[in-house]
Amino acid sequence: MSDTFESQIQLLREAARCAEQYLRTVDDRAVFPRPEAIHALGQFAEPLPERPTEPHDVLAMLHRVGSPGTVAQIGGRYFGFVDGGALPIGVAARVLADTWDQNTAHYVMSPVGAQLEEVCEGWLVELLGLPEGTAAGFVTGTTLANLSGLAAGRNELLRRRGWDVAESGLYGAPPIPVVVGADAHAAVRKSLSLLGMGDAHTIVVPVDDQGRMRIDRFPRLEEPSLVVAQAGNVNSGAFDPVGEITERTHAAKGWVHVDGAFGLWAAAVPALAPLVRGIDRADSWAVDAHKTLNVPYDCGIVFCREREALEAAFRASASYFQWSDQRDPMRYTPSMSKRARAVELWAVLKTLGRDGVIRLVEQLCAHARYFADRLAGEGFSVLNDVVLNQVLVACRDDDETRRTLADLQTSGECWCGGSTWKGRSVIRISVCSWATTRDDIDRSVRAFVAAREAARSNGGVRR
Ligand SMILES: *Cc1c(COP(=O)(O)O)cnc(C)c1O
């Protein structure tokens, strides 16, 4: 038996011990690191080491200094951004996959990576009710998934007009009208700018009180346009009327891309069908597995009804490439080298099954409603219709809301982000982790009440 990897085996055991300690304590410690823990992070800021350090000591330092400096995103009382927890099987599968260290650009680099991508593609297309044969590309997150879907759509619309972007770029290309909702996610704007389709050429459709595109204000499209709809407003969780948007866009031979970072998972849940009606008629979709599905970071997926359009956007060639008649994962993404992120996605889907996915999403929704009801009962204002996992909360006035949030964020009891909604400051709650329980929410509600108390009595600084 070779002992080449003996030291790695020892290190993995130590890492597992550190992980165990972390998991046993993470739910009891402050959700956001205490000032001492953040101060201690300064220990990392040393000059570049000239000499080697024992790996054992490196790992020990990482755990001693690094672990207390983490935000407890995997715990039950983190409600910031839309981050999602990490299901245990996802983390475990990832450890194994990281040990494999597969580059999955080509099939010949990793038959297992390619096979699991193909299986996930098929399962997800079925689970989300997308058209049979839809292609999937596995990327770092929805930002890249949006970029990928929009690149495919833009190039395909231009190809139909006789223009080859790979050949001619955008110089002199016929302009493609772009349509987004006023509440489109920042990632959409970023993608459009990267794709050479700036804000000035984008038609912005006004939204309603929940942030949904107003179909009565949707432009009359005269030519094939690139339209971005949203399944899950990053503040309110609301869904654009994707079916109607698609109907109008297709009538003018356009392309609809759906940004469904956390909301597209609703398409797996029969009880949420009204939110996603007609979504299967779109042309491309972006979703994160690391949000609602609780797969570890980073795992996003682009889906494209026309496989050829997605492949065309990422075409590349070199004499050393080795294509096969199997799936070559780099055909479907902007990256070439990439880790085998379908491994933990597969493991989570296999573990949950369709029923488990449905239960996970329903649990997040039920907890969000419970959170909203409890806070309303305590005199907070809930400003959105809680249709998914997002809750927008306000106090008496903006000042009190901001000071309550500031106190909450340092309380260690729970963590929420802030935002503005229809001109008002809000506390933004995203219930996004499998680990959240009703007890976690009850405890968090008490923290909200205490934070508001502190805001009222002494300017929001807990003494
Ligand atoms: C999170 C999010 C994104 C960006 O996704 P990343 O995974 O952070 O790249 C885009 N759109 C919406 C609606 C989101 O919630």
Side-chain angles (χ1 to χ4, degrees):
M1 199 175 69
S2 147
D3 60 3
T4 310
F5 295 108
E6 194 49 43
S7 65
Q8 183 168 345
I9 292 167
Q10 294 310 324
L11 282 168
L12 283 171
R13 288 208 177 109
E14 279 175 46
R17 277 195 293 272
C18 298
E20 177 177 351
Q21 249 180 35
Y22 186 78
L23 292 171
R24 288 201 189 284
T25 52
V26 69
D27 248 353
D28 298 325
R29 45 159 278 208
V31 177
F32 190 83
R34 297 286 182 207
E36 313 84 77
I38 289 177
H39 179 76
L41 294 176
Q43 293 174 52
F44 288 127
E46 57 185 339
L48 170 70
E50 295 294 338
R51 291 180 210 297
T53 308
E54 277 300 318
H56 168 89
D57 295 332
V58 173
L59 192 63
M61 176 178 180
L62 189 61
H63 183 46
R64 177 172 46 80
V65 182
S67 291
T70 56
V71 172
Q73 293 188 33
I74 63 161
R77 283 170 287 110
Y78 181 81
F79 307 106
F81 302 94
V82 192
D83 276 354
L87 283 162
I89 182 62
V91 179
R94 170 142 191 176
V95 171
L96 185 55
D98 280 349
T99 306
W100 297 345
D101 193 33
Q102 302 283 281
N103 182 349
T104 66
H106 279 296
Y107 177 84
V108 293
M109 294 166 151
S110 182
V112 62
Q115 175 73 53
L116 291 177
E117 274 202 7
E118 190 148 297
V119 169
C120 286
E121 177 183 281
W123 284 1
L124 288 170
V125 165
E126 185 182 337
L127 179 66
L128 298 171
L130 303 180
E132 211 181 307
T134 292
F138 298 85
V139 294
T140 52
T142 291
T143 304
L144 261 286
N146 279 338
L147 181 80
S148 303
L150 292 170
R154 179 199 64 183
N155 292 7
E156 173 61 16
L157 291 180
L158 284 168
R159 188 195 64 77
R160 292 179 199 161
R161 297 180 68 165
W163 190 271
D164 180 348
V165 173
E167 172 71 25
S168 312
L170 291 184
Y171 304 102
I176 299 286
V178 177
V179 181
V180 304
D183 270 13
H185 192 274
V188 169
R189 291 258 165 91
K190 182 195 261 195
S191 294
L192 290 170
S193 114
L194 283 167
L195 291 169
M197 309 170 94
D199 278 349
H201 302 281
T202 301
I203 302 165
V204 179
V205 182
V207 293
D208 66 11
D209 62 332
Q210 299 299 313
R212 294 172 294 221
M213 240 193 264
R214 280 180 53 180
I215 201 71
D216 61 320
R217 301 288 297 276
F218 196 78
R220 181 180 304 278
L221 301 174
E222 307 284 354
E223 48 192 335
S225 307
L226 189 56
V227 177
V228 189
Q230 182 164 255
N233 179 296
V234 81
N235 283 313
S236 70
F239 287 61
D240 283 342
V242 181
E244 285 162 279
I245 290 168
T246 304
E247 210 165 289
R248 288 171 191 228
T249 307
H250 284 175
K253 299 197 168 4
W255 180 290
V256 175
H257 173 79
V258 178
D259 175 0
F262 63 96
L264 192 62
W265 297 105
V269 182
L272 299 175
L275 292 175
V276 293
R277 193 158 287 140
I279 211 163
D280 56 317
R281 296 204 297 275
D283 301 279
S284 57
W285 304 260
V287 73
D288 272 325
H290 58 222
K291 290 180 178 169
T292 312
L293 194 62
N294 279 236
V295 169
Y297 281 94
D298 40 18
C299 190
I301 307 139
V302 57
F303 296 100
C304 190
R305 174 194 293 273
E306 290 183 46
R307 184 169 298 266
E308 177 60 26
L310 190 61
E311 290 189 35
F314 302 127
R315 194 150 289 150
S317 64
S319 57
Y320 71 91
F321 283 3
Q322 191 172 335
W323 302 113
S324 74
D325 55 3
Q326 306 290 318
R327 181 184 178 96
D328 285 297
M330 72 181 245
R331 282 189 194 279
Y332 304 103
T333 69
S335 319
M336 291 190 184
S337 296
K338 61 191 191 81
R339 54 179 297 278
R341 59 174 60 85
V343 174
E344 52 271 17
L345 177 57
W346 168 84
V348 164
L349 290 171
K350 169 89 174 153
T351 302
L352 293 179
R354 189 198 295 270
D355 283 354
V357 173
I358 293 171
R359 264 186 282 124
L360 172 62
V361 179
E362 288 184 339
Q363 174 182 313
L364 300 177
C365 295
H367 281 159
R369 283 192 303 272
Y370 178 69
F371 211 147
D373 290 347
R374 288 287 329 268
L375 286 172
E378 295 290 349
F380 290 89
S381 307
V382 174
L383 301 187
N384 66 316
D385 295 343
V386 181
V387 294
L388 205 69
N389 62 329
Q390 300 293 113
V391 187
L392 301 175
V393 180
C395 302
R396 217 162 33 190
D397 55 44
D398 281 0
D399 186 51
E400 190 176 288
T401 301
R402 279 195 292 266
R403 286 192 285 135
T404 300
L405 176 61
D407 187 88
L408 201 59
Q409 289 187 337
T410 54
S411 71
E413 285 294 290
C414 68
W415 203 92
C416 302
S419 189
T420 50
W421 181 249
K422 307 293 171 195
R424 286 179 75 176
S425 291
V426 291
I427 301 173
R428 178 167 168 260
I429 297 169
S430 180
V431 183
C432 219
S433 176
W434 67 276
T436 296
T437 62
R438 283 197 164 217
D439 284 348
D440 285 319
I441 295 172
D442 289 337
R443 184 167 160 188
S444 301
V445 169
R446 288 195 293 276
F448 267 75
V449 172
R452 182 180 57 189
E453 209 49 52
R456 283 179 181 172
S457 61
N458 57 27
V461 182
R462 199 173 281 248
R463 290 171 214 275

